[in-house]
Amino acid sequence: MNIGSQMLHALIILFAAIFTDNILLARFLGMCSFLSVSRQVKTAVGLGLAVVMVMTFTIALDWLAYRYILQPYAIEYFRFILFIIIIAAFVQFIEMVIERYSPILHQNLGIFLPLITVNCAILGASLFMVIRQYNLIEAISFGFGSGAGWMMAIVAMAGIRERLNNAKIPRGLQGPGITLIIAGIMALAFIGFTGVLSGR
Amino acid sequence: MIDLDRPMAKKRTLAMTKQPIMRRMIRALLPCVIASIYFFGWRSLVIVAVSCITGFVTEYAFARRRDEPVSEAVFVTAIIYALILPPTIPFHILIFGMVFAIVFGKMVFGGFGSNIFNPAMVGRAFLYVCFPIAMTATWASAAPGPWGALGLWSTGSLPDALTAATPMALVKAGQALPPSLTTLFFGRLAGSMGVTSVLAILIGGFYVFYTKTANRYIIVTVIIVYALINGLFTIAGMPGTPGILPALMGGGFLFGAFFMATDPISAPRTQPAKIIYAAVIASGTAIIRTFSVFNGGLMFSILLANMFAPILDYAFKNQARSERTVRDTKEVD
């Protein structure tokens, strides 16, 4: 493949990861933080940005680790452990760097960074990258797209929940109940994109 | 005994609140109802009636517990929902979807005024996914002749009247040319019950446009953006694009632009957000209708745009607020 068509392919993967194959609304990964941290738009934006950054970098690191550590020794079945270690280490590292160089950002992101380690969307993206046999550029654009898609969904959800602050939601459905219903209808809307772009 | 604690008690005996806007919407939808009877038989009228009754009963069951009256908006939802279904829809599916639309599209959010998504779209999208065969596999063709289907129960029961696909689906698959503009204009073709006739839509559409019942900016933006994108697709020579005018006139697009996209509750409140919202609907429809495996582009993209309406409002309200603070501080200076 020449560079032009490869860039086009990476671009298609990027948009497919955001819209047609949205990791949250089509694959239902990363639901826990999606449900719990979507109460306010500001925090949702903060967490979303953190996810975009962590996902883009860890998917690249995971790709390198998979290609140059696991594959040469034919121990691909270790990928779950290795990917989790890489993600946790990366998040810790980023937290220390941010704490040292930008206390304000650390204050805004502080709570969310450790949360990201247990965000299954991050590990999920890395595992999809293995299954679909992406090359490095494709993997990075997939990671960025998945993160951006996740962020888009959580920010939209936070907007909806802020609007619903004054709504008379039935008592039993307040909180997680209504959020799951909204997420369901969002996923229903995203079904419409089926078949528009395919990144595989 | 006089119940002083409940000043609403007397008013509650009226089961409904009057909503002039919704009254006008219902009036504007009547031409489409008539067209659906004319083309597909009297079963269409029963479908509309059943969906109205189901919607009312469902909302009443919820509203009674809250001591609130039923909103007239439920009839607008019910009529729109009925008009965008295939004329051969079985009644149990019709009722199922309507109950889902009112309960999960509207009442769980706290009833009229707080629903995020357009209930009619929620109901139809739900049916589209749960009953794909009933929703997309068989279509009754429109009755021929000057009297149409006025003497018939349903055109679906005529021999050879069922087709496997609507003209829109055939054009998308590249199996047919778009129908002629006059056919599209009068609407004698297979499709969703009440949205095949551009003439009927425009009669009601001009009424809501003229009386400002529906937001004019949304209507105009949706139509212009959709025409532009379809023009681009046609110039680029994408397969399955019908061209600008057939695209505008086909598939109930105008019905969506006038009656579905303009739902005041699920649309954003701020002006710039409304225009972006309309552009999202139009571009989403064009993309889904051209590339997706599904044909219900308008429905899906309205749900998508609904989903982003609150965050758009949030963005523009914040912008307005910061501009105001800037101005205020300048005045202080």
Side-chain angles (χ1 to χ4, degrees), chain A residues 149-165:
Chain A
W150 198 89
M151 179 174 172
M152 179 180 78
I154 196 175
V155 171
M157 172 62 94
I160 292 175
R161 286 183 73 176
E162 281 204 7
R163 172 168 289 179
L164 285 177
N165 271 342

Side-chain angles (χ1 to χ4, degrees), chain A residues 163 168 170 188 190 192-194, chain B residues 68 108 110 292-293 300 304 313:
Chain A
R163 172 168 289 179
K168 287 172 281 180
L188 200 57
F190 266 78
F193 280 122
T194 312
Chain B
E68 279 173 1
V108 294
S292 169
V293 295
F300 285 122
L304 278 174
D313 264 347

Side-chain angles (χ1 to χ4, degrees), chain A:
Chain A
M1 256 199 299
N2 61 5
I3 292 179
S5 71
Q6 200 164 35
M7 288 323 262
L8 186 70
H9 193 57
L11 205 67
I12 289 174
I13 287 175
L14 177 79
F15 282 104
I18 298 177
F19 294 108
T20 48
D21 207 17
N22 189 300
I23 199 152
L24 184 69
L25 295 171
R27 301 276 168 192
F28 306 107
L29 291 172
M31 283 303 275
C32 18
S33 27
F34 175 69
L35 296 179
S36 55
V37 198
S38 55
R39 211 160 282 143
Q40 283 181 320
V41 174
K42 266 184 192 154
T43 49
V45 171
L47 182 65
L49 286 174
V51 166
V52 173
M53 189 177 70
V54 172
M55 215 181 243
T56 316
F57 283 100
T58 55
I59 209 166
L61 291 173
D62 286 347
W63 190 91
L64 292 171
Y66 188 77
R67 178 78 179 75
Y68 293 107
I69 300 174
L70 296 181
Q71 272 187 336
Y73 298 102
I75 43 170
E76 285 95 339
Y77 49 84
F78 270 132
R79 62 175 181 265
F80 294 90
I81 298 176
L82 188 72
F83 287 179
I84 279 285
I85 292 173
I86 290 175
I87 291 166
F90 182 79
V91 170
Q92 271 305 310
F93 175 71
I94 285 288
E95 196 179 359
M96 289 190 299
V97 170
I98 291 178
E99 196 174 10
R100 172 72 181 79
Y101 290 103
S102 169
I104 300 167
L105 187 65
H106 183 256
Q107 219 167 24
N108 290 335
L109 278 182
I111 336 142
F112 304 121
L113 277 173
L115 259 180
I116 287 174
T117 319
V118 292
N119 188 335
C120 37
I122 311 263
L123 180 64
S126 288
L127 295 175
F128 276 133
M129 171 248 333
V130 172
I131 295 169
R132 296 179 190 166
Q133 299 175 327
Y134 287 142
N135 64 27
L136 185 59
I137 297 170
E138 289 168 348
I140 292 174
S141 72
F142 176 69
F144 181 75
S146 296
W150 198 89
M151 179 174 172
M152 179 180 78
I154 196 175
V155 171
M157 172 62 94
I160 292 175
R161 286 183 73 176
E162 281 204 7
R163 172 168 289 179
L164 285 177
N165 271 342
N166 300 321
K168 287 172 281 180
I169 296 164
R171 210 182 314 130
L173 279 176
Q174 280 166 7
I178 193 75
T179 316
L180 278 171
I181 290 175
I182 297 168
I185 301 176
M186 281 170 141
L188 200 57
F190 266 78
I191 287 176
F193 280 122
T194 312
V196 174
L197 286 169
S198 169
R200 260 160 276 172

Side-chain angles (χ1 to χ4, degrees), chain B residues 29-52:
Chain B
L29 286 167
L30 286 181
C32 292
V33 176
I34 294 167
S36 75
I37 299 170
Y38 177 73
F39 290 124
F40 300 110
W42 289 98
R43 191 176 188 273
S44 311
L45 187 65
V46 180
I47 289 179
V48 173
V50 168
S51 102
C52 282

